[in-house]
Amino acid sequence: MSLSLDEKKDVLQRIIDDQHRRKDIAIAREYYYIDNPILRRGVLQDVKDLLRKADNRIAHNFHQLITDEEVDYLLSYAPIIDIGSETGNADIVKALGDDFLKTSRKLDIEACNSGCAWLHYWVDVNKKAIEYAIVPSDQVIPIMADSLKEQVERLIRYYPIIRTEGIAKKHYLRIEVWDDTSCEYFIVPGDRDSFTLGGAKDDGTIYHKHGKIPFIMFPNNNRHQGNLAKYQGLIDAYDIVVSGYVNDVMDIQQVIYILENYGGEDLDEFRKDLKRFKTVSVGNDGIDGSNGDLRTLTIDIPVEARNSLLDYLKKQIYTAGQALSRDVTSVGNASGQTLKFFYRDLDLKVGDKEVEFTAGFKELIRAICEYKGVAIKEPISITFTRNRISNDQETAQICKDSVGVIPTELIWANHPFVDDIEKCRKLWEAEHAEEDDYSKDFKPGSYEKKETQEE
């Protein structure tokens, strides 16, 4: 059943109200791709200032560094999935496909920039499998249910399309409204910032059998807040200071001469005398004893103050972003506890995201299991492997000392040499099976004489 006129008006009003959020996402992406505002506005305040002509515009990639660091820390390795069955785990890994880690990393980047990433899944009839893909966050508006629980009741997706009509290309906005059974869609002329309901057409309905809205949210944190808001002003200040610093260094080469009662005929003669004889002839106008003079006007650069400000801003950027400080170049042979100290802020930030992403991955796995008929025998377990600098020698010694105290699989999971627990288990079982056969063959009393059946 198509949407009523009032329902369409409500949807369009929500899209209009979403402009501010969409703008914030666009700004975060600009900073991630190092297209900072400094590149467009510069630092010159007054173009008439004779002392300042250089207009260098230098953007810094702090947001990209902090975002990529977070993604690499959490998702350098694919999350380990366990539903309580080896065959079931294998089916899940096969269904997720080879691009699962790549998609997960893109989800993380999108979440960092927008505050909440979205994954859409559907059934590919030809492949007879569930497919999934990331939907840009600025195309999605969730409509939450009136409940204490965070539950999406309906979901709006809107995005621009171009249609060729005759010899002309016209711009439309496609709008989809999803619920747990269907997708109602229609298009309106215009784009996301300018459209009209008067020309709405192509109403239609698509039904699905998922039993829930086939969109999964992956929040950046429990506040659904992106990273840039925490340090955007600090990055802008850093860009301005560095750009102004470089401008001053270039402008200092421009010396302005102030002449009083010059005794020569013209400025060309002045420049020749200054260059050839290193002297300039000045006169006396005889009025009130006013003598000639030559002075220079240059720019004074407060180097120490600027360096101190840059150090402060850089420190504050990494502190606000809960990132690893780039000033720590070496930690030597530090112990595991010392190394963990450097990661304390990053662990807090990533721990919050890990909780949110775990819930999203579990929802995707349940959808795959339901479609493929795979039984979930135990609560779904999602294990992330955090990629941090560690003291491998210390960790290996702890694993060695833990043999016989904790289960072997837990030791494997934490050993620095083990990346794949399933592969480790198979190698372990094959190796010990050979040892068991060897021990059995050479155990005293295992041989008998064929004639008498005596030992």
Side-chain angles (χ1 to χ4, degrees):
M1 182 179 179
S2 300
L3 297 172
S4 65
L5 180 60
D6 290 339
E7 289 175 327
K8 288 182 180 180
K9 289 181 179 179
D10 177 69
V11 170
L12 294 179
Q13 185 60 50
R14 291 178 184 272
I15 294 175
I16 293 173
D17 296 340
D18 196 44
Q19 288 182 356
H20 180 72
R21 183 186 69 94
R22 203 164 59 240
K23 180 180 178 182
D24 290 342
I25 295 174
I27 292 173
R29 289 172 180 165
E30 288 177 353
Y31 277 84
Y32 182 76
Y33 291 105
I34 322 174
D35 186 21
N36 301 9
I38 189 71
L39 298 177
R40 292 178 288 279
R41 68 187 182 207
V43 295
L44 292 180
Q45 301 297 325
D46 186 0
V47 295
K48 297 180 181 180
D49 190 344
L50 297 178
L51 288 178
R52 303 186 183 277
K53 296 181 180 179
D55 187 18
N56 293 278
R57 305 179 181 189
I58 302 173
H60 295 81
N61 63 333
F62 288 114
H63 179 55
Q64 177 253 322
L65 286 173
I66 293 174
T67 299
D68 289 350
E69 175 187 78
E70 181 178 340
V71 174
D72 288 338
Y73 187 55
L74 183 63
L75 289 167
S76 285
Y77 310 98
I80 300 172
I81 299 168
D82 187 8
I83 62 173
S85 168
E86 291 187 19
T87 56
N89 292 343
D91 290 339
I92 294 298
V93 172
K94 183 178 179 181
L96 290 173
D98 297 335
D99 292 336
F100 175 58
L101 177 59
K102 181 179 179 180
T103 302
S104 300
R105 292 173 62 86
K106 288 183 178 179
L107 271 173
D108 201 347
I109 295 173
E110 183 71 10
C112 289
N113 286 328
S114 64
C116 182
W118 290 89
L119 190 74
H120 174 46
Y121 62 89
W122 67 95
V123 175
D124 189 319
V125 179
N126 296 325
K127 295 182 180 179
K128 296 183 179 179
I130 282 191
E131 298 287 331
Y132 58 90
I134 300 173
V135 178
S137 302
D138 53 356
Q139 296 182 3
V140 178
I141 304 176
I143 302 176
M144 309 307 293
D146 187 11
S147 171
L148 293 177
K149 287 187 175 183
E150 187 180 54
Q151 184 177 356
V152 180
E153 183 178 39
R154 289 189 302 163
L155 182 139
I156 301 171
R157 184 190 175 197
Y158 62 102
Y159 51 95
I161 61 174
I162 299 177
R163 287 189 173 183
T164 302
E165 299 179 0
I167 60 174
K169 292 184 177 180
K170 293 189 176 181
H171 295 265
Y172 291 94
L173 186 66
R174 180 182 171 92
I175 301 171
E176 302 172 357
V177 181
W178 292 79
D179 59 22
D180 55 358
T181 60
S182 64
C183 166
E184 306 285 348
Y185 64 89
F186 61 98
I187 66 171
V188 295
D191 54 30
R192 297 192 297 182
D193 297 319
S194 177
F195 52 83
T196 174
L197 181 58
K201 60 180 180 179
D202 287 1
D203 292 26
T205 304
I206 300 174
Y207 295 96
H208 62 84
K209 298 180 180 180
H210 297 294
K212 60 181 66 176
I213 299 175
F215 286 78
I216 304 174
M217 68 168 63
F218 287 83
N220 188 46
N221 45 52
N222 59 2
R223 304 177 302 280
H224 291 219
Q225 182 185 39
N227 289 346
L228 181 64
K230 297 185 288 187
Y231 45 73
Q232 179 181 353
L234 295 169
I235 294 177
D236 290 341
Y238 198 95
D239 288 346
I240 291 172
V241 173
V242 172
S243 299
Y245 202 164
V246 176
N247 289 345
D248 287 349
V249 171
M250 297 187 69
D251 286 334
I252 200 174
Q253 303 175 35
Q254 304 293 329
V255 179
I256 296 179
Y257 295 96
I258 302 176
L259 287 170
E260 293 182 4
N261 298 327
Y262 173 55
E265 296 181 359
D266 54 32
L267 292 179
D268 289 336
E269 181 183 351
F270 159 74
R271 283 191 290 265
K272 290 178 182 178
D273 290 344
L274 185 63
K275 184 177 181 180
R276 182 176 181 182
F277 303 108
K278 309 299 181 184
T279 60
V280 176
S281 174
V282 294
N284 188 333
D285 60 6
I287 301 175
D288 298 330
S290 177
N291 297 321
D293 192 12
L294 169 63
R295 301 192 307 275
T296 60
L297 184 62
T298 59
I299 297 174
D300 183 23
I301 302 178
V303 177
E304 184 176 351
R306 275 182 167 168
N307 288 339
S308 299
L309 178 57
L310 289 177
D311 290 339
Y312 170 78
L313 289 173
K314 186 175 182 180
K315 182 179 179 181
Q316 288 301 114
I317 288 171
Y318 285 112
T319 300
Q322 295 176 274
L324 296 177
S325 175
R326 292 300 189 281
D327 295 331
V328 181
T329 57
S330 175
V331 294
N333 191 26
S335 66
Q337 293 300 322
T338 304
L339 290 172
K340 288 180 180 179
F341 174 79
F342 292 108
Y343 287 87
R344 63 193 186 281
D345 291 336
L346 184 57
D347 276 323
L348 290 173
K349 178 173 63 171
V350 171
D352 192 0
K353 173 174 289 183
E354 187 176 307
V355 172
E356 304 294 342
F357 270 50
T358 296
F361 285 135
K362 285 183 177 181
E363 186 174 343
L364 176 62
I365 292 167
R366 289 191 187 97
I368 294 174
C369 289
E370 183 178 347
Y371 175 76
K372 296 179 69 67
V374 177
I376 301 176
K377 297 183 178 181
E378 295 181 3
I380 300 174
S381 173
I382 308 291
T383 304
F384 293 88
T385 304
R386 298 189 182 182
N387 185 17
R388 66 167 62 156
I389 299 173
S390 62
N391 189 323
D392 289 348
Q393 182 179 1
E394 181 181 4
T395 305
Q397 185 62 43
I398 294 173
C399 292
K400 180 180 178 181
D401 296 339
S402 300
V403 174
V405 179
I406 63 175
T408 304
E409 288 204 16
L410 290 180
I411 297 176
W412 293 342
N414 292 278
H415 199 285
F417 292 167
V418 178
D419 293 329
D420 189 336
I421 296 179
E422 294 295 332
K423 182 179 180 180
C424 180
R425 180 189 293 109
K426 291 178 181 178
L427 293 173
W428 176 273
E429 291 174 352
E431 181 178 314
H432 284 70
E434 294 177 1
E435 291 181 359
D436 292 341
D437 293 339
Y438 181 86
S439 300
K440 181 178 180 181
D441 290 341
F442 291 93
K443 186 166 57 179
S446 60
Y447 289 93
E448 299 178 351
K449 293 182 180 180
K450 294 183 179 180
E451 297 83 356
T452 61
Q453 300 296 319
E454 295 178 356
E455 292 186 4

